[in-house]
Amino acid sequence: MSEQATTVLLISGPNLNLLGDREPEIYGSETLDVHVATATRAAERNGLTLNHIQSNHEGELIEAIQQARHSAGSIVINAGAFSHTSWAIHDALKSFDGPVVELHLSNPAAREEFRHLSVIAPVADGTVAGFGNLGYDLAIDAVARLLKQK
Ligand code: DQA
């Protein structure tokens, strides 16, 4: 596989920079750095390289997805609250050819009504939700398996 094909882009959306501090009873006490370290180890275990970007800005997330068309073979995305609203992120992901896994720390389906709709889900191969830090392992393993199936 080429360098692009073996690169996984992990995208973290708004407010995920506050993990550790933010509603730990829902999101856990781990910081985003801890989750990125878990994802990095999972990628290495699968012979992949992880790149990570976090932004609170929708446009920056869209630009990262557009750039990934030329620099990454797969995407794992926790778009935070944009998961429920951003048709622009939906459209950007639609233009990406490789595997896409949607990721959430919490289980949005078991929370407030407004979190039940994901506009990312229809353009993802699948969703990992509700497993906290373990989800980062599962999501990277999922893209690794999808890449092997290709
Ligand atoms: C989240 C769930 C979203 O509903 C919320 O807006 C987030 C985090 C999660 O990881 O559980 O910011 O994506």
Side-chain angles (χ1 to χ4, degrees):
M1 277 200 276
S2 67
E3 196 179 323
Q4 175 173 350
T6 56
T7 300
V8 189
L9 179 63
L10 172 64
I11 301 177
S12 301
N15 300 308
L16 297 182
N17 55 312
L18 299 180
L19 287 172
D21 257 1
R22 174 193 181 206
E23 300 179 272
E25 65 289 355
I26 295 173
Y27 298 116
S29 55
E30 295 100 336
T31 61
L32 184 58
D33 282 351
V34 169
H35 298 309
V36 174
T38 298
T40 302
R41 279 194 303 275
E44 283 168 2
R45 205 171 55 232
N46 284 292
L48 303 172
T49 304
L50 189 106
N51 287 344
H52 175 242
I53 179 214
Q54 189 278 327
S55 176
N56 296 320
H57 304 279
E58 189 177 17
E60 282 182 11
L61 298 171
I62 291 163
E63 275 165 15
I65 295 165
Q66 289 183 5
Q67 280 165 19
R69 287 154 52 90
H70 311 291
S71 59
S74 56
I75 292 178
V76 172
I77 179 163
N78 184 345
F82 286 144
S83 313
H84 316 301
T85 60
S86 179
W87 292 104
I89 291 178
H90 166 111
D91 282 351
L93 287 171
K94 210 170 180 179
S95 74
F96 181 79
D97 279 339
V100 173
V101 172
E102 178 187 19
L103 173 63
H104 299 285
L105 289 152
S106 67
N107 179 3
R111 299 181 61 198
E112 304 96 314
E113 185 92 33
F114 77 89
R115 296 184 203 275
H116 295 181
L117 171 72
S118 166
V119 298
I120 305 291
V123 286
D125 290 279
T127 300
V128 174
F131 298 110
N133 179 259
L134 172 63
Y136 285 78
D137 250 332
L138 299 175
I140 299 290
D141 279 352
V143 289
R145 289 196 192 196
L146 291 170
L147 286 167
K148 276 189 201 135
Q149 279 170 20
K150 266 190 142 189

